[in-house]
Amino acid sequence: MTGPESGRFDDLPPSAKYVYRVLDEEGPLSRKELQEETQLCESTLDDAAETLEKCDFILRARDTDDLRQVVMKTVTMRTYNPSRK
């Protein structure tokens, strides 16, 4: 299997890699905060986040301080961690 479904970071589209790096550097962020930080359009950001979540590179969870908010954060990479080059 190749492509994002393989779960390999190298196979992800550039927008997903960028979103991952921002989340890895900035910590848990809401969708709004992530969009402000990345300056990606909504559809690109949503596609990147969905791809990362399907491949288990990020986790979406409710904010413990405000359950109406969903925050995204990185999880330990199985295959490759770009921040540890």
Side-chain angles (χ1 to χ4, degrees):
M1 178 174 3
T2 59
E5 304 82 26
S6 71
R8 287 181 33 87
F9 189 83
D10 291 336
D11 295 334
L12 295 174
S15 59
K17 291 176 184 177
Y18 177 52
V19 168
Y20 179 87
R21 286 187 188 272
V22 170
L23 284 171
D24 192 43
E25 292 172 8
E26 302 296 324
L29 296 172
S30 70
R31 182 181 175 282
K32 181 180 179 181
E33 292 168 330
L34 187 57
Q35 187 171 14
E36 289 172 0
E37 192 68 33
T38 62
Q39 295 295 303
L40 294 172
C41 69
E42 289 182 25
S43 61
T44 301
L45 179 61
D46 290 342
D47 288 346
E50 185 175 327
T51 298
L52 288 166
E53 188 174 35
K54 283 181 182 178
C55 294
D56 297 323
F57 290 121
I58 66 167
L59 176 67
R60 293 186 215 200
R62 294 278 172 195
D63 185 342
T64 56
D65 295 330
D66 183 355
L67 295 177
R68 297 171 296 174
Q69 291 288 328
V70 174
V71 294
M72 293 178 252
K73 63 180 181 177
T74 58
V75 295
T76 304
M77 283 197 176
R78 298 182 313 256
T79 308
Y80 171 73
N81 190 332
S83 63
R84 294 186 183 160
K85 264 189 162 179

